Amino acid sequence: MEEDIVTGILISEEGALSLDEMIHACGAEAQWIVELVEVGILVPKGVEVAAWRFGAADLIRARRLARLQRDFGAGTEAAAVILDLLDEIERLRAQLRRAGMQIG
Amino acid sequence: MEFKDYYKILAVERTASEGEIKRSYRKLARKYHPDVSKEPDAAERMQEVNEAYEVLKDPEKRAAYDRLGSGFQAGQEFHPPPGWDAGFEFRGAPFGEALGADFSEFFATLFGGGGTTRHASAFRARGEDHHAKVLIDLEDAFRSASRTVTLRTPELDQQGRLATHERTLQVKIPKGVREGQLIRLAGQGSPGPGGSPAGDLYLEIHFKPHPLYRVDGRDLYLTLPLTPWEAALGARVKAPTPSGGVEVKVPPGSQGGRKLRLKGRGIPGAPPGDLYLVLEVVLPAADSERAKQLYQTLARELAFNPRRTLGV
């Protein structure tokens, strides 16, 4: 039985989601997202709130942060540090992979 | 459905205090949290642990759960006795579904139903968004493909009780897609309350590890083994690429670790990525008399000390 193939919109690093869409995608409150932008954890394009456009990396980062806050009871600042460290680990892993090492 | 032994999952006694439960949860969270864990089944274990904690940390839910009795084994076939939850009112919702929380049929049946199950501090004008990861082959990025994604989503049935509902989708993976990008499928999330529009589904793209190529953004890396004479004298050798084999010119005087860049042979795009060949010099084994002689000739006639800079 042939299933219909669904086609979506590709969201890349370039901004694509508005604040409302971000709120909805994270299941979060507006204030939480705004705070993350204010402390520089999320960096949307656009200056005014209405013009903010978040990319795929922002959405993934925000959800990861929420999980860290939920699962470890981490404050926003601590969760942000954890995120940065995780990113750095991933960067280092990528470097090792490029050099030919088998890194998981 | 299967009985879940939450005390066993959290590795605590049935008589454990709130503090002991919290401590045990924290320890397990550090072990199985998907962002930091090295365990192969981390995501599943974390969901289990989160679900168990959700019940045992809440005095009301815990009391109701304890009421079921201690006679059941984990994994045993189980049905809640009628009226088991009489007198209990479960406030609050399970952790927001948008965070990717998934819960067992056991939890959904016992704690998911009745009353309000969504913390609607803001009126939700449409269904919740869902998130899932999709694993694709590197080749899918070179030519568009379609992938099957299986989703387990919680949905309210006619009685207003939560049930997990499994469905599959065939999703088009566009050419040029990269790791970490999202495909947003409108209307494939949770159905909206009261007939309002459904939420969206966000698919996070991840490449399966490839036997040959390492992926970094749009660029690919491939180790290219060479013989010592190919590296030293230069050579034309064949190399694979995802878009077909090519012949590469290895410059004379090459050493292991050197990178040769094949422009535009990475993941398609505007601009396309590059394919880097990382040269690796491989020594033939000295496993025959002839091979040993040839090596010894080289050793005698090529004055070469790779350790001269070590001062020994």
Side-chain angles (χ1 to χ4, degrees):
Chain A
M1 183 178 67
E2 268 287 313
E3 270 192 55
D4 282 339
I5 299 180
V6 290
T7 304
I9 299 171
L10 192 65
I11 301 175
S12 61
E13 285 71 30
E14 286 71 52
L17 298 172
S18 67
L19 176 61
D20 275 341
E21 290 169 318
M22 231 355 218
I23 289 165
H24 207 271
C26 294
E29 302 297 320
Q31 193 45 44
W32 184 75
I33 305 269
V34 169
E35 195 193 318
L36 294 187
V37 176
E38 274 171 4
V39 299
I41 292 171
L42 299 179
V43 194
K45 294 214 159 57
V47 174
E48 278 140 34
V49 178
W52 282 352
R53 293 292 174 268
F54 298 87
D58 292 313
L59 178 52
I60 290 170
R61 199 169 159 78
R63 293 184 69 242
R64 236 178 166 188
L65 192 103
R67 263 200 307 272
L68 289 170
Q69 287 186 300
R70 180 196 71 193
D71 293 343
F72 296 111
T76 307
E77 294 294 337
V81 171
I82 295 173
L83 269 188
D84 288 342
L85 289 170
L86 291 173
D87 282 346
E88 178 66 5
I89 291 175
E90 194 42 51
R91 263 194 297 275
L92 292 168
R93 284 211 179 109
Q95 244 181 315
L96 290 170
R97 261 182 250 127
R98 284 201 300 274
M101 295 181 68
Q102 302 284 57
I103 300 283
Chain B
M1 62 185 166
E2 220 180 72
F3 182 79
K4 293 269 178 193
D5 187 339
Y6 290 145
Y7 289 101
K8 191 160 162 222
I9 289 170
L10 281 186
V12 293
E13 300 290 337
R14 294 190 76 93
T15 50
S17 69
E18 274 191 56
E20 283 165 339
I21 289 175
K22 187 173 188 177
R23 268 196 298 282
S24 194
Y25 168 73
R26 285 277 159 83
K27 234 168 101 174
L28 289 165
R30 280 168 57 197
K31 188 170 178 200
Y32 290 114
H33 194 88
D35 289 320
V36 297
S37 175
K38 301 209 186 343
E39 306 280 332
D41 54 349
E44 290 81 35
R45 293 300 298 268
M46 194 65 218
Q47 273 165 7
E48 242 189 359
V49 165
N50 268 326
E51 183 179 304
Y53 188 54
E54 186 72 20
V55 171
L56 296 185
K57 78 175 187 207
D58 174 351
E60 256 198 285
K61 289 199 184 80
R62 184 179 177 183
Y65 178 76
D66 287 346
R67 248 225 221 158
L68 294 172
S70 47
F72 298 100
Q73 302 274 39
Q76 182 183 338
E77 184 62 25
F78 170 83
H79 298 282
W84 73 279
D85 58 349
F88 291 107
E89 191 191 302
F90 300 124
R91 283 178 298 279
F95 17 87
E97 202 285 324
L99 280 189
D102 202 356
F103 38 87
S104 66
E105 199 186 339
F106 182 76
F107 180 96
T109 305
L110 296 181
F111 299 103
T116 43
T117 53
R118 290 280 172 256
H119 55 99
S121 45
F123 171 69
R124 299 235 178 264
R126 59 185 176 101
E128 290 193 342
D129 291 334
H130 291 177
H131 299 263
K133 287 188 163 89
V134 60
L135 276 181
I136 62 172
D137 294 316
L138 177 59
E139 285 78 3
D140 293 344
F142 278 80
R143 33 176 195 283
S144 169
S146 71
R147 280 277 143 189
T148 306
V149 178
T150 303
L151 304 162
R152 281 187 66 216
T153 52
E155 271 163 20
L156 290 175
D157 65 14
Q158 278 94 347
Q159 289 87 38
R161 294 186 71 90
L162 276 169
T164 48
H165 170 64
E166 199 175 275
R167 63 189 170 120
T168 57
L169 276 179
Q170 283 276 88
V171 182
K172 179 157 189 278
I173 306 291
K175 191 170 146 178
V177 78
R178 302 199 299 280
E179 176 101 12
Q181 288 188 328
L182 294 170
I183 295 179
R184 180 181 180 183
L185 298 168
Q188 294 289 352
S190 262
S196 57
D200 299 335
L201 172 62
Y202 290 89
L203 293 177
E204 200 175 309
I205 301 282
H206 291 280
F207 287 116
K208 290 186 205 151
H210 197 280
L212 292 181
Y213 308 104
R214 278 97 54 193
V215 185
D216 183 19
R218 278 207 172 107
D219 296 330
L220 303 178
Y221 290 77
L222 170 71
T223 298
L224 186 68
L226 300 173
T227 61
W229 43 95
E230 284 167 338
L233 301 174
R236 285 191 174 277
V237 299
K238 287 206 189 90
T241 80
S243 39
V246 293
E247 202 180 60
V248 203
K249 192 170 151 192
V250 177
S254 293
Q255 294 283 2
R258 179 176 190 163
K259 293 194 189 80
L260 300 180
R261 180 182 178 210
L262 300 183
K263 201 154 150 49
R265 287 275 181 172
I267 293 181
D274 302 324
L275 169 57
Y276 290 89
L277 302 172
V278 184
L279 303 182
E280 181 185 58
V281 179
V282 187
L283 302 179
D287 54 4
S288 67
E289 269 317 301
R290 184 72 184 119
K292 286 194 183 114
Q293 278 164 15
L294 288 167
Y295 271 121
Q296 277 152 7
T297 306
L298 258 185
R300 263 196 317 277
E301 304 196 9
L302 272 186
F304 174 55
N305 180 11
R307 290 172 294 282
R308 74 178 176 282
T309 58
L310 296 183
V312 294

